């Protein structure tokens, strides 16, 4: 039977056959929609795992490669939660035999449902367990094709329907409008208030249970004058100033604690000053206990001069990984484009793959960005513009949640201006957790080896009790345990992740350094950072979708 004929029959079957369990109770919450997803394989780039968690039951889908068993797709819920139900909406290529598995870490799995008689359509499965990761593990296909899901929905307790983020552009607006003329926003745009008193943005927020919650407003204020908002939650109002962020493309977070009712809640942010409110990107609702996490994707040494039509070209594959992670933002640790990082090469290669995340990328330059015949970092600056130069400099900082991020230009570590700026920047932050990233690593077991140009910066960060450093330059993956700038193991030291496997040809491991806990050469992938209010952990996800390394969970200093 042709695949074209098979699909209508399976859809008809899904309409005639009742789900295998009762529908969700009112207390259930959809935990999986929009969360980061990975898979063992994809049939092509348009059928990635994120398509199975986008809320569309008919038009989009994930599909594995055809004719191969086993295959899997998994979702990261962001934090451990009680799971009560999994709903699979199959496309024509369904699973005859599969398991639903749960995991606390994406490594160790427990089977909570198993069948050998799948028939496609919609499978509504009652399950029991607590998990951060949930996956469908297919062991036998029902057709000659692969595995394909229109949607995989995980229900349980906690969170808010559809996830914790509420985009400002989807809210009710008064004397405000949706805009997209400044980079760095999430979703499809941001809200720009009219310059007058009284404009507002109003969200309806669902809560599974009554109690305190953290409401985090992501905003930008490109002026030096604070823009105040009156934040009303179910009629109870608190007033907050939203300070300047340095530029309209530089975003920051401001959080308040409020009490939510079980069910629907109204959150309104009203401008109280004559200049209106700041630009608002989104509202994030999290537990006041500090358990909310977010995901960041990171890699360096990315775009060779090749395209997806070449099977040996890697940067299209790592870009697909980033898409499946659905991160809050993307960090690059230099050498974004090879060989001389000219603007025309950025446009021809990097932009065709990683350019899909340009508006939420926070890049840094590498040595190859300095080789441009048009001038030092000329193509890099022309391509990224204010995203990479928010204050007219190639180094900058930004906040998200309880984290302060510092993006540095290691091509300029010999210049005092950046060093003095770094000291002042760290002195000014009040965030508990600090991460810094740049190109040249102080510690590396690869062909380039240790680069002492970074030691003064390490010392400054160490003295300020920073937590995490990310680098590139050597084309391998390496994870170091906490250490000080003198390569001594130190619980007060920083964790270094070397993630130079975004697409450039791999380098060998040559001289293993002290405190190096994991090294991989020839493995391409993307570093996945899971960051909480006071903790962090890292994983390397390979281009095959497999977890190649998982760090311990660290507590911020």
């Amino acid at each position: 039977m042709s695949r074209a004929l098979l699909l209508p029959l399976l859809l008809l079957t899904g309409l005639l056959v009742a789900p295998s369990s009762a529908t969700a109770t009112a207390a259930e919450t959809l935990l999986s929609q929009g969360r980061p997803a990975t898979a063992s394989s994809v049939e092509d780039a348009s059928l990635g795992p994120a398509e199975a968690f986008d809320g569309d039951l008919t038009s989009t889908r994930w599909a594995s490669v055809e004719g191969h068993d086993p295959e899997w797709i998994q979702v990261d819920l962001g934090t451990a939660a009680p799971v009560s139900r999994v709903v699979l909406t199959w496309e024509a290529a369904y699973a005859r035999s599969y398991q639903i598995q749960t995991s606390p870490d994406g490594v160790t799995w427990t089977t909570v449902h198993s069948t050998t008689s799948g028939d496609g359509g919609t499978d509504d499965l009652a399950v029991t367990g607590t998990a951060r990761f949930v996956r469908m593990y297919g062991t036998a296909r029902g057709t000659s094709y692969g595995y394909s899901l229109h949607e995989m929905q995980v229900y349980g307790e906690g969170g808010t329907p559809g996830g914790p983020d509420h985009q400002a552009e989807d809210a009710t607006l008064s004397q405000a409008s949706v805009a997209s003329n400044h980079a760095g926003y999430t979703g499809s745009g941001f809200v720009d208030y009219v310059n007058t008193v009284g404009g507002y943005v109003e969200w309806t927020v669902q809560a599974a249970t009554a109690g305190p919650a953290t409401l985090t407003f992501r905003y930008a204020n490109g002026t030096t004058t604070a823009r105040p908002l009156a934040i009303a939650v179910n009629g109870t109002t608190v007033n907050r100033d939203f300070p300047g962020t340095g530029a309209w493309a530089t975003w920051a977070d401001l959080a308040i604690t409020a009490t939510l009712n079980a069910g629907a809640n109204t959150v309104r942010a009203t401008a109280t000053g004559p200049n209106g409110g700041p630009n608002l990107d989104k509202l994030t609702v999290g537990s006041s206990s500090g358990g909310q996490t977010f995901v960041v994707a990171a890699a360096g040494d990315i775009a060779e001069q090749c395209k997806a039509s070449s099977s040996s070209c890697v940067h299209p594959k790592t870009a697909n990984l980033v898409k499946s992670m659905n991160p809050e933002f993307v960090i690059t640790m230099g050498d974004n484009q090879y060989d001389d990082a000219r603007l025309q090469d950025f446009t021809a290669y990097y932009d065709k793959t990683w350019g899909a995340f340009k508006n939420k990328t926070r890049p840094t330059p590498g040595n190859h960005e300095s080789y441009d015949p048009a001038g030092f970092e000329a193509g890099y600056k022309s391509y990224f513009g204010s995203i990479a130069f928010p204050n007219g400099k190639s180094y900058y900082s930004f906040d998200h949640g309880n984290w302060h991020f510092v993006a540095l230009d290691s091509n300029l570590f010999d210049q005092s201006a950046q060093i003095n700026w770094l000291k002042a920047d760290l002195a000014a932050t009040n965030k508990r957790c600090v991460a810094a990233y740049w190109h040249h690593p102080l510690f590396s077991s690869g062909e380039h080896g240790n680069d002492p140009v970074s030691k003064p910066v390490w010392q400054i960060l160490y003295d300020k009790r920073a937590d995490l450093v990310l680098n590139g330059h050597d084309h391998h993956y390496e994870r170091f345990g906490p250490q000080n700038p003198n390569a001594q193991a130190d619980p007060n030291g920083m964790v270094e992740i070397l993630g130079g496997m975004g697409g450039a040809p791999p380098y060998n491991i040559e001289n293993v350094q002290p405190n190096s806990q994991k090294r991989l050469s020839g493995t391409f992938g993307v570093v996945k950072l899971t960051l909480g209010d006071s903790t962090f952990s890292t994983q390397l996800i390979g281009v095959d979708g497999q977890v190649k390394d998982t760090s311990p969970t660290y507590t911020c200093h």
Side-chain angles (χ1 to χ4, degrees):
M1 181 183 294
S2 73
R3 192 175 186 184
L5 293 175
L6 182 61
L7 177 56
L9 288 177
L10 289 174
L11 292 176
L12 180 60
T13 301
L15 292 172
L16 296 176
V17 178
S20 60
S21 73
T23 56
T25 66
E28 281 187 325
T29 296
L30 178 57
L31 304 174
S32 55
Q33 188 165 309
R35 298 301 304 173
T38 52
S40 53
S41 68
V42 294
E43 184 179 339
D44 65 52
S46 66
L47 303 173
E51 307 300 327
F53 299 95
D54 63 358
D56 189 331
L57 299 176
T58 59
S59 301
T60 60
R61 63 187 176 97
W62 161 73
S64 71
V65 295
E66 297 185 350
H68 182 263
D69 298 306
E71 297 287 347
W72 55 262
I73 181 172
Q74 71 184 48
V75 63
D76 179 357
L77 302 179
T79 188
V83 175
S84 58
R85 194 163 61 103
V86 175
V87 181
L88 305 176
T89 304
W90 294 100
E91 193 252 355
Y94 66 97
R96 178 73 65 188
S97 299
Y98 67 87
Q99 301 167 8
I100 300 298
Q101 299 177 328
T102 60
S103 172
D105 55 9
V107 177
T108 303
W109 295 92
T110 299
T111 298
V112 295
H113 176 84
S114 181
T115 184
T116 58
S117 56
D119 58 2
T122 299
D123 293 340
D124 194 334
L125 312 169
V127 299
T128 301
T130 297
R132 173 175 167 176
F133 297 86
V134 180
R135 77 176 177 182
M136 186 288 299
Y137 188 85
T139 55
R141 289 163 290 119
T143 73
S144 61
Y145 301 101
Y147 297 84
S148 184
L149 282 167
H150 279 299
E151 197 75 1
M152 176 174 169
Q153 296 166 302
V154 180
Y155 291 86
E157 299 177 16
T160 59
D165 285 352
H166 301 264
Q167 294 294 333
E169 66 268 23
D170 297 330
T172 300
L173 308 180
S174 175
Q175 298 187 87
S177 61
V178 178
S180 59
N181 57 319
H182 299 303
Y185 57 83
T186 62
S188 59
F190 58 86
V191 169
D192 185 0
Y193 284 82
V194 173
N195 291 342
T196 187
V197 173
Y200 66 79
V201 181
E202 182 178 286
W203 296 268
T204 298
V205 172
Q206 298 288 335
T209 59
T214 299
L215 307 183
T216 302
F217 298 85
R218 187 170 192 261
Y219 78 97
N221 177 7
T223 71
T224 58
T225 302
R227 298 196 172 203
L229 292 177
I231 311 298
V233 181
N234 298 326
T236 300
T237 302
V238 296
N239 294 287
R240 288 289 185 273
D241 283 340
F242 285 70
T245 58
W248 289 109
T250 300
W251 299 85
D253 292 323
L254 188 148
I256 68 169
T257 300
T259 299
L260 299 182
N261 300 325
N265 297 264
T266 300
V267 179
R268 177 181 286 192
T270 303
T272 58
N275 294 321
N279 288 348
L280 286 182
D281 179 38
K282 64 179 179 177
L283 166 66
T284 300
V285 181
S287 166
S288 63
S289 65
Q292 184 62 46
T293 63
F294 61 96
V295 170
V296 175
D301 306 273
I302 297 169
E304 284 283 287
Q305 294 176 337
C306 61
K307 298 183 178 180
S309 56
S310 169
S311 61
S312 62
C313 192
V314 178
H315 63 92
K317 301 173 185 177
T318 53
N320 286 337
L321 274 181
V322 175
K323 181 180 180 181
S324 71
M325 290 180 188
N326 190 27
E328 283 292 306
F329 51 89
V330 178
I331 282 172
T332 69
M333 292 88 78
D335 284 4
N336 304 271
Q337 177 63 59
Y338 285 87
D339 282 329
D340 296 335
R342 300 173 301 172
L343 177 59
Q344 57 263 45
D345 293 328
F346 268 107
T347 302
Y349 304 106
Y350 181 97
D351 190 63
K352 296 296 188 291
T353 56
W354 283 65
F357 327 110
K358 183 178 178 180
N359 283 342
K360 63 177 180 180
T361 296
R362 308 291 180 266
T364 58
N367 53 293
H368 279 266
E369 274 79 16
S370 72
Y371 300 157
D372 188 349
F376 179 82
E377 298 180 2
Y380 171 77
K381 184 173 184 179
S382 295
Y383 177 73
F384 284 111
S386 62
I387 295 173
F389 291 75
N391 300 304
K393 303 178 177 64
S394 57
Y395 45 90
Y396 55 96
S397 66
F398 59 96
D399 293 334
H400 190 89
N402 205 27
W403 281 81
H404 183 65
F405 295 88
V406 185
L408 299 173
D409 185 347
S410 54
N411 294 320
L412 304 177
F413 275 179
D414 60 345
Q415 297 186 12
S416 60
Q418 183 174 201
I419 300 300
N420 292 336
W421 172 88
L422 175 62
K423 292 177 181 178
D425 179 81
L426 293 174
T429 186
N430 60 1
K431 298 296 184 180
R432 175 170 180 179
C433 305
V434 175
Y437 59 101
W438 63 87
H439 188 59
H440 299 86
L442 177 58
F443 303 112
S444 172
S445 301
E447 294 182 18
H448 285 308
N450 295 353
D451 197 327
V453 71
S454 297
K455 189 169 183 178
V457 170
W458 253 78
Q459 187 66 56
I460 294 168
L461 290 162
Y462 175 79
D463 290 343
K464 291 296 183 181
R465 304 294 297 278
D467 303 285
L468 177 64
V469 169
L470 299 111
N471 302 125
H473 198 41
D474 259 333
H475 301 179
H476 71 279
Y477 169 81
E478 190 164 11
R479 174 171 55 83
F480 289 86
Q483 60 185 324
N484 63 31
N486 297 315
Q488 297 169 330
D490 184 343
N492 295 318
M494 295 179 292
V495 173
E496 181 194 299
I497 303 293
L498 201 163
M501 7 43 63
Y507 291 172
N508 295 322
I509 304 297
E510 293 195 345
N511 184 19
V512 176
Q513 297 299 304
N515 307 306
S516 176
Q517 297 182 344
K518 182 72 174 183
R519 298 166 301 281
L520 292 169
S521 177
T523 298
F524 294 103
V526 175
V527 176
K528 177 182 176 182
L529 309 174
T530 301
L531 309 174
D533 282 353
S534 60
T535 62
F536 67 97
S537 62
T538 71
Q539 289 182 314
L540 174 65
I541 312 297
V543 291
D544 60 358
Q546 300 278 359
V547 177
K548 304 298 184 181
D549 180 46
T550 299
S551 77
T553 296
Y554 294 100
T555 299
C556 297
H557 300 137

